[in-house]
Amino acid sequence: MENTRAFWGGLAFIILIVGVNAIMYGMVRSITHSSRKGTNFLESMGNMFNPSNQKKDNSMEELRQKIEDLNGGKKDNPPDSE
């Protein structure tokens, strides 16, 4: 009875360790092979654990686009001061 409990406990422990290692491997692999070029590993790691940065980046991108649209309209019709 004691041997079977030890066996099943050891087997569960081994499966747990292998599962956690597989998950961590997948996370690190996805970070290192990110779709965005020019980002370093630590920046990607920080972005993964803090998804609110992605929302801020999206809102800042929208703001930049609106500013470019507004500035683009002004550049098309420059005033003649002379």
Side-chain angles (χ1 to χ4, degrees):
M1 188 71 153
E2 292 292 324
N3 289 337
T4 57
R5 282 187 175 175
F7 171 75
W8 289 114
L11 185 62
F13 181 74
I14 290 170
I15 291 172
L16 178 72
I17 296 297
V18 169
V20 169
N21 282 331
I23 291 170
M24 293 299 289
Y25 173 77
M27 289 171 56
V28 170
R29 183 168 172 86
S30 68
I31 290 170
T32 57
H33 296 299
S34 65
S35 62
R36 294 189 322 172
K37 301 289 182 188
T39 58
N40 61 12
F41 177 75
L42 293 177
E43 183 180 337
S44 298
M45 189 71 125
N47 289 339
M48 186 184 79
F49 289 118
N50 192 1
S52 65
N53 283 343
Q54 294 173 350
K55 293 177 185 175
K56 290 178 187 175
D57 289 343
N58 290 341
S59 64
M60 289 300 290
E61 185 61 36
E62 290 175 16
L63 180 61
R64 283 189 197 105
Q65 184 65 34
K66 288 180 183 178
I67 290 173
E68 285 178 7
D69 290 344
L70 291 174
N71 288 339
K74 291 180 181 177
K75 289 181 181 176
D76 290 339
N77 299 323
D80 291 332
S81 59
E82 295 184 63

